[in-house]
Structure formats: C-alpha cells, structure tokens
Amino acid sequence: MPVITEIEDLKRIYRRRVPKMFYDYCESGSWSEQTFRENSSDFDKIYLRQRVALDMANRSTKTKLIGQDVSMPVALAPVGLTGMQHFDGEIKAAKAAEKFGVPFCLSTMSICSIEDVASNTSKPFWMQVYTLKDDTFMQNLFDRAKAANCSAAVITVDLQLLGQRHKDLKNGLSAPPKLTPKSIANMMTKVQWGLGMLQTKRRFFGNIVGHAKGVSDASSLTTWTAESFDQSLDWDRIRQFRKMWDGPLIIKGIMDPRDALEALNVGADAIVVSNHGGRQLDGALSSIRALEPIIDAVGDKIEVHIDSGIRSGQDVLKATAMGAKGCWIGRAYVYGLGAMGEAGVTKALQVIHKELDMSMALCGHRNIQGVDRDILMVPKGFSGEWG
C-alpha cells in the first residue's frame, strides 16, 4: 500500500483508478458548485485553540450515536452508486465500518441490496430511504430494512426534485447510466476497476429492480425514477413514513431551524444538517455555517448530526466542538473505496481518527465527549447576521 497520510492521497489514487463518469458523480455539485466548494472551505475559516501543559494521556474518541456505541463520532453517509465505484462497494464499505466501530448507512440507490449487505455483515447498519410516492414500495423497503435488522432508518428530505449537476448530464450519468462511446473508452482504460466489476453479479440497483412495481430492466427503471420522487412532499407525508417505521429515525437534509423543529415534531430521534453535499440547492449556506442556529433552535431535545464537506479529523473535531453529536462522511470514504476497496475505506477511517485524536489532544482534551466551543476561534457573524 502506498503511504497515505491524508484523505487527499486517497483521492488522487481514486481519480486514477475509477472511470471518469463515476469520479465526476462523486466529485461534483449542482450548478456553479459554490455550495459544494464552501462546504469544505468554510471549515478552514474556523481556527483551533492550542493548549499546553495539560495531561493528554489515556485519550478516548468513543461516544454514542442514537444510543449506539461508536469508536468516534463519525458515520458513513448513504452514497448512491457506491457499487460502481468499486465492485461490491456497499458491502466492502459496510464491512470496513463494522470493523472500525462506526455506523454504515446504505442508500436506496445502492448497487448492492439491503439483503446483500446484511448477509455479509454481522452488526446492524442504517438504511436510508427517499420520500417516494409509492406507498407499497416504501412500506416494503422499511419492512426489508427491519428484516435485515437495520438499527435505524434515515429519511432524506431534500431530494423532492433533482438538482442539476452539469458533469453528470455531460457524462450521461443517470439511473441507469447512459453509456456513450467516450465513456466506454474511458472505462476500458481502468483495467483494475473493470476486472473487479467482471467478478460480481451486482451491477444494477439491488434495492429497486425486482422490488418496485414494473421495474425489471434499465428502461423501466428510468421511467420509475422519473415518476417516483414526490414533489408534493410535506410534513404530514413524513408523519406517514414515521408510522411505517417504528425504530430509531433520522431525518437528513435539514438546513433551517424551522425545519429542524418540524423534524422534532414528527418524532425523529436525530437530524442531519446537510445540503446533500452541495448537490441540490447551489448558493445555499455550507452545512457548518448552518449548524449552530439549528442546535440553538432544538437544544438537547433531539440529536443533531452534520454532513457535507467533512474531509479530515480536524473537520470532525470542529463540528463536534460546535455541538454536532455525529459527523457523516461520504466522499472521504468513497475516495478510499475507489482507490483500494475495503482497505481504502479502513485507511480513510484511520486517517480521520488519527487527525481527530491528535488535534483533540493538542487542544487540551482527552475525551471527545468533553470537547466544546471553547477550543474554537470562530469569525464573528460566521453563523448569522445576514442582511
């Protein structure tokens, strides 16, 4: 294995090994990509306060997320098409997360199915669902998640319609992907990736094909996808989903304090402050800027997590100090997966954990559960005072 010291090292290998279509799918945002960029760059505006001559021995990054013990306040976020970044990608990522002691969340739009992941892991994982019109499919999805012993359901509420991502349109990236001579030629140069894909039978949206009514092939999936997302979604509809699932519930895609209070009112156990990685509303605030006003609104009545833009252990430390109970990583682990499979996901987690642990110590703390805003220097107006 090459020497990996930061997530950027994995990203460089990932870019060489994975077809451009799938690299661009991961590494892009909507429209001008302003929000996509600022999700990461806004973390750089927050500084850490170094302390010295304090006992830094016997440190711990262990905590709990929705009552589950975790080795650090990190979860692997749901990422669609993960099984196209590396063969059996969702299975490999879930196994790495399980061994490391952090939660893995499976996307509805995964290549490997709920059952595939469950049969290859021994601990419960989380299941993400979209807000679709088809009640029968939705109830069946929740029932399958329960049968697979999923320990939480995650409802993504910010995808009523799809944000325009220029790179995906130009690459023909859709559900399913539209292959062109150019994209096929590029895939042929990714020999290691191609040999891996030939080893697996899992290449086609395992949670949908054979489960959604009338979806049996690529053309029927295209039609179903176009018609299924519910643009009339409201909080009453989310209450209906809450009745379909009686376990721990996380609502993902909250960027406004008013919506955070609505999520609390429908009985969610946690929310994720997220702008979908900058892939939906471009020009929106970064998630880290939106975090504090949301925490102020809900207090300790609900667990607040964050995703979008987290690329390092220092980002995790900053978000935790700002009040987030959990930090979800998507691109950071996908870089590792595409670079070197399960071992790459493990390496991404190791990099983030080491950065988190060492930075926490240099800020004068031995336990992640004791970290608070005192370790930060945050610019005035960072989270508010907008005209």
Side-chain angles (χ1 to χ4, degrees):
M1 180 183 288
V3 176
I4 305 295
T5 61
E6 58 180 341
I7 296 299
E8 193 67 23
D9 291 336
L10 291 169
K11 181 180 174 182
R12 283 189 284 269
I13 301 170
Y14 164 62
R15 186 169 193 173
R16 293 198 304 267
R17 293 187 176 178
V18 173
K20 184 177 186 297
M21 173 185 285
F22 302 117
Y23 174 86
D24 282 351
Y25 171 75
C26 172
E27 196 63 11
S28 64
S30 62
W31 303 104
S32 73
E33 299 189 338
Q34 175 190 349
T35 302
F36 165 68
R37 293 189 300 272
E38 291 180 358
N39 274 334
S40 294
S41 64
D42 279 349
F43 275 98
D44 296 336
K45 297 177 174 66
I46 302 170
Y47 289 84
L48 296 169
R49 192 187 306 275
Q50 183 173 342
R51 299 297 306 279
V52 297
L54 294 169
D55 185 355
M56 298 179 185
N58 302 314
R59 298 185 302 278
S60 174
T61 60
K62 293 180 180 178
T63 185
K64 290 181 181 288
L65 297 181
I66 57 167
Q68 300 177 25
D69 292 328
V70 295
S71 61
M72 61 178 172
V74 168
L76 268 57
V79 179
L81 290 168
T82 302
M84 298 307 293
Q85 303 287 356
H86 190 282
F87 74 97
D88 295 344
E90 290 88 1
I91 292 171
K92 294 182 183 301
K95 290 172 72 173
E98 179 179 299
K99 292 173 185 174
F100 207 87
V102 298
F104 169 78
C105 186
L106 182 69
S107 170
T108 295
M109 300 301 289
S110 61
I111 301 302
C112 302
S113 69
I114 303 170
E115 293 78 10
D116 287 333
V117 175
S119 64
N120 284 276
T121 53
S122 59
K123 294 182 181 178
F125 56 95
W126 298 347
M127 181 65 210
Q128 177 267 346
V129 299
Y130 289 109
T131 52
L132 307 178
K133 297 177 184 177
D134 188 337
D135 275 1
T136 301
F137 176 81
M138 291 296 292
Q139 184 63 69
N140 181 47
L141 196 61
F142 283 121
D143 290 345
R144 290 168 61 202
K146 182 172 290 186
N149 199 31
C150 291
S151 55
V154 178
I155 299 180
T156 294
V157 293
D158 60 355
L159 204 78
Q160 290 169 260
L161 66 166
L162 194 65
Q164 180 165 311
R165 304 153 195 173
H166 299 330
K167 293 175 185 174
D168 287 352
L169 291 173
K170 291 172 180 175
N171 288 328
L173 200 290
S174 59
K178 297 180 178 67
L179 298 179
T180 65
K182 186 175 181 180
S183 63
I184 292 172
N186 178 256
M187 287 181 187
M188 291 174 66
T189 68
K190 311 298 181 181
V191 177
Q192 187 174 350
W193 175 89
L195 291 174
M197 294 305 297
L198 289 174
Q199 295 178 34
T200 183
K201 61 183 179 181
R202 302 179 182 99
R203 305 189 193 101
F204 203 69
F205 298 101
N207 288 325
I208 298 171
V209 177
H211 296 282
K213 185 177 180 181
V215 179
S216 57
D217 55 24
S219 60
S220 56
L221 176 63
T222 300
T223 302
W224 181 86
T225 302
E227 296 175 351
S228 290
F229 287 92
D230 187 1
Q231 294 189 21
S232 64
L233 175 73
D234 58 19
W235 288 102
D236 286 337
R237 177 63 170 156
I238 295 172
R239 287 185 177 87
Q240 294 176 1
F241 295 141
R242 186 62 180 115
K243 293 176 181 177
M244 294 181 184
W245 174 262
D246 59 4
L249 180 71
I250 302 170
I251 294 182
K252 179 176 179 289
I254 302 297
M255 287 293 291
D256 188 283
R258 292 168 293 184
D259 293 329
L261 291 170
E262 292 285 2
L264 178 63
N265 291 336
V266 301
D269 298 280
I271 57 175
V272 186
V273 177
S274 169
N275 52 42
H276 216 95
R279 294 167 64 78
Q280 285 298 93
L281 177 62
D282 191 37
L285 286 181
S286 65
S287 290
I288 191 62
R289 283 188 187 268
L291 178 63
E292 276 198 306
I294 289 172
I295 291 175
D296 290 343
V298 299
D300 59 1
K301 296 176 183 176
I302 191 170
E303 216 168 274
V304 180
H305 300 182
I306 184 174
D307 91 346
S308 303
I310 296 168
R311 303 287 190 275
S312 71
Q314 287 205 340
D315 293 343
V316 173
L317 182 64
K318 291 173 183 179
T320 302
M322 295 272 276
K325 298 298 183 185
C327 301
W328 295 31
I329 59 171
R331 291 180 175 97
Y333 93 78
V334 169
Y335 300 157
L337 178 70
M340 51 188 72
E342 181 182 338
V345 179
T346 298
K347 177 55 70 174
L349 290 168
Q350 290 171 341
V351 165
I352 287 174
H353 181 264
K354 184 174 183 179
E355 290 175 346
L356 171 63
D357 175 60
M358 294 184 68
S359 298
M360 177 181 73
L362 291 169
C363 289
H365 283 266
R366 293 188 296 174
N367 193 312
I368 192 65
Q369 297 185 54
V371 168
D372 58 23
R373 208 176 188 279
D374 183 64
I375 72 166
L376 302 179
M377 290 177 281
V378 184
K380 291 181 180 180
F382 182 78
S383 298
E385 300 181 15
W386 304 103

